[in-house]
Structures are given as C-alpha cells and as structure tokens.
Amino acid sequence: MIFGSIKRKMFCIFVVYTLAFTFFTSCGKSSLANVSLNEEKNEKKDDKHKKDAVLQNVKNIVVASGKVKEYLIEIVLKNGYYDDSGISPYQNTYEGEFEIRVMKDSQICSTLDFTYRDSKEGLNLHKGGKIQVSDYNGDGQMDFAVGQKISSSAKDYQFFTIDENGMLYRLKEGFIADEEYFPLFHMKNGKVQYRQYNQEMGKYQKKYIKIQQISSK
C-alpha cells in the first residue's frame, strides 16, 4: 500500500510538472513570435528610413550644360532622386526622368526627352556636367554625346545635334566606350575615335565609328 501511494504521488507530480512545462513553453514561444514580428516590423521601418535618407526626391535640377554659339544646352532632371548613400555604384548621381533643352535669351527653342535607348528606364547622371560639342559628322552643325553608365567604367553613348535654328535632334549612332559622361571625342579620317575594353585581351582597344548626318528635319 505504501508503495502504491508513493507511485500515485510520483504520477501526480509528473502530471503537474508536464502541464507547467507545456504552459510556460507555449508562453515562451508566443513571446518569441511577438518579438520576431516586432523586429521584422522595425527592420522594415529602418529600411524605409534608410531609403528615404539616401534617395532625396528632387525636381527641375540642371545636371549638365554647354553652349553652341548663342544657344544654351541644358540637361534637366524633371523628376527623380539624388543618391547620397555613399555605397551605391550610382552614389552621388541623379536618377529619373531627364530632358534636354536648347535655349536662347532664356526662351526655350526645343526640347527632347532623354531616355535610355528610347525606353522608359530612368537614367543616372552626375550634377555639374559640362556638355562638350564638336562637328562629328561634317555637316557644319554642332553635335554632342552623353554617356549612360552600364558598368564600373563603361558607358553607353548617344549623340545629339543642334541645327542653326536651335532645333535638337537625336542621331541614330551610338556605342559603348570607357570615357566620361560628357566626352569630347577625337576624330580620325572623318570618324569618331573611342576606346573600349577587351575582356579577352585584357586591355583597351581603339575603335572608330562614322556618325551619320540627319536625313531630314
């Protein structure tokens, strides 16, 4: 009888211990779940604050300019962001919707939406750029090139021209080269000379391209 009583007591203690352990464990899991959920919410808030801190919304910022005779050329960020993260490959650049304007005596003569190869993708450009002009196709009109960064050093260039009336046109030719955002290319035998990095050879190569004149205005 004594042995049976001890067994019953031991069984009761075991049941009580099991129930208590289950209760506290479930409470602990609930608390951990709440903590994890709160941490996730806080991380999302922190990410949003970081994004807001490094991407500043800006509008109507002149990022580059140059002159052709009496005309002023401006590349303007109509709407976008400035990246001051300090860690992004596009740090210290403006990103968004750009427009090229030609002005005379503070009056706009012509404009052209500046997009990446006529797509709707946003561009990245540094502020304070100097547009450099030259007659790249021998038609007597001034042309200029603007590069869009596509790797650590290479840029994809587009060419534009301005006629005697201040009208702006996009030229069809373009190429990838390792030059500045707003370069002044050298000419050789009527062709634009540029350099391009050859991955297989592990060095830069000189290349040439003929820029065609605009067929119609």
Side-chain angles (χ1 to χ4, degrees):
M1 295 293 293
I2 296 174
F3 181 72
S5 176
I6 292 173
K7 286 180 67 177
R8 283 194 295 273
K9 288 181 179 178
M10 292 294 291
F11 177 75
C12 291
I13 292 172
F14 175 76
V15 171
V16 171
Y17 175 80
T18 302
L19 291 173
F21 178 79
T22 303
F23 172 76
F24 286 114
T25 302
S26 62
C27 290
K29 288 181 179 178
S30 176
S31 298
L32 288 173
N34 289 335
V35 169
S36 299
L37 184 61
N38 289 334
E39 287 179 349
E40 184 178 352
K41 289 180 179 178
N42 289 334
E43 285 177 0
K44 288 182 178 179
K45 288 181 180 179
D46 290 342
D47 289 341
K48 184 178 184 302
H49 291 325
K50 288 178 182 177
K51 184 176 180 181
D52 292 341
V54 299
L55 296 179
Q56 306 171 19
N57 186 260
V58 288
K59 294 182 179 181
N60 298 318
I61 301 293
V62 177
V63 299
S65 62
K67 292 203 72 175
V68 175
K69 298 180 181 179
E70 68 270 31
Y71 296 107
L72 172 67
I73 315 166
E74 291 183 337
I75 298 181
V76 181
L77 175 63
K78 296 191 295 182
N79 186 30
Y81 296 90
Y82 175 68
D83 184 346
D84 66 350
S85 64
I87 56 174
S88 165
Y90 299 101
Q91 60 182 306
N92 302 322
T93 64
Y94 289 89
E95 176 184 357
E97 303 171 17
F98 290 88
E99 179 181 75
I100 304 177
R101 299 173 184 172
V102 178
M103 305 179 67
K104 179 181 179 181
D105 299 328
S106 300
Q107 299 295 318
I108 296 178
C109 301
S110 61
T111 63
L112 192 64
D113 286 336
F114 182 34
T115 56
Y116 182 69
R117 296 294 182 188
D118 294 321
S119 74
K120 298 300 180 183
E121 296 180 24
L123 298 178
N124 292 87
L125 293 172
H126 281 281
K127 184 179 179 181
K130 181 181 178 181
I131 298 173
Q132 304 186 79
V133 300
S134 181
D135 184 3
Y136 290 126
N137 51 20
D139 64 354
Q141 311 297 342
M142 289 294 102
D143 314 310
F144 63 94
V146 182
Q148 174 58 40
K149 189 173 185 177
I150 58 173
S151 71
S152 59
S153 61
K155 298 177 183 66
D156 191 350
Y157 290 92
Q158 297 182 63
F159 283 78
F160 303 87
T161 191
I162 301 174
D163 69 10
E164 64 277 4
N165 299 313
M167 297 303 295
L168 181 65
Y169 301 90
R170 188 194 310 267
L171 300 176
K172 293 182 179 180
E173 286 73 26
F175 53 80
I176 295 174
D178 294 87
E179 305 290 351
E180 303 172 359
Y181 277 94
F182 310 98
L184 180 63
F185 290 105
H186 296 291
M187 300 292 295
K188 186 173 182 179
N189 299 325
K191 295 182 178 181
V192 170
Q193 174 184 302
Y194 64 98
R195 65 173 190 161
Q196 193 176 80
Y197 189 75
N198 188 309
Q199 294 284 353
E200 295 181 357
M201 298 178 64
K203 65 179 183 179
Y204 289 100
Q205 287 184 302
K206 287 184 179 180
K207 292 194 172 185
Y208 304 89
I209 186 173
K210 185 172 180 59
I211 305 298
Q212 300 295 327
Q213 300 178 8
I214 52 176
S215 57
S216 61
K217 299 180 181 180

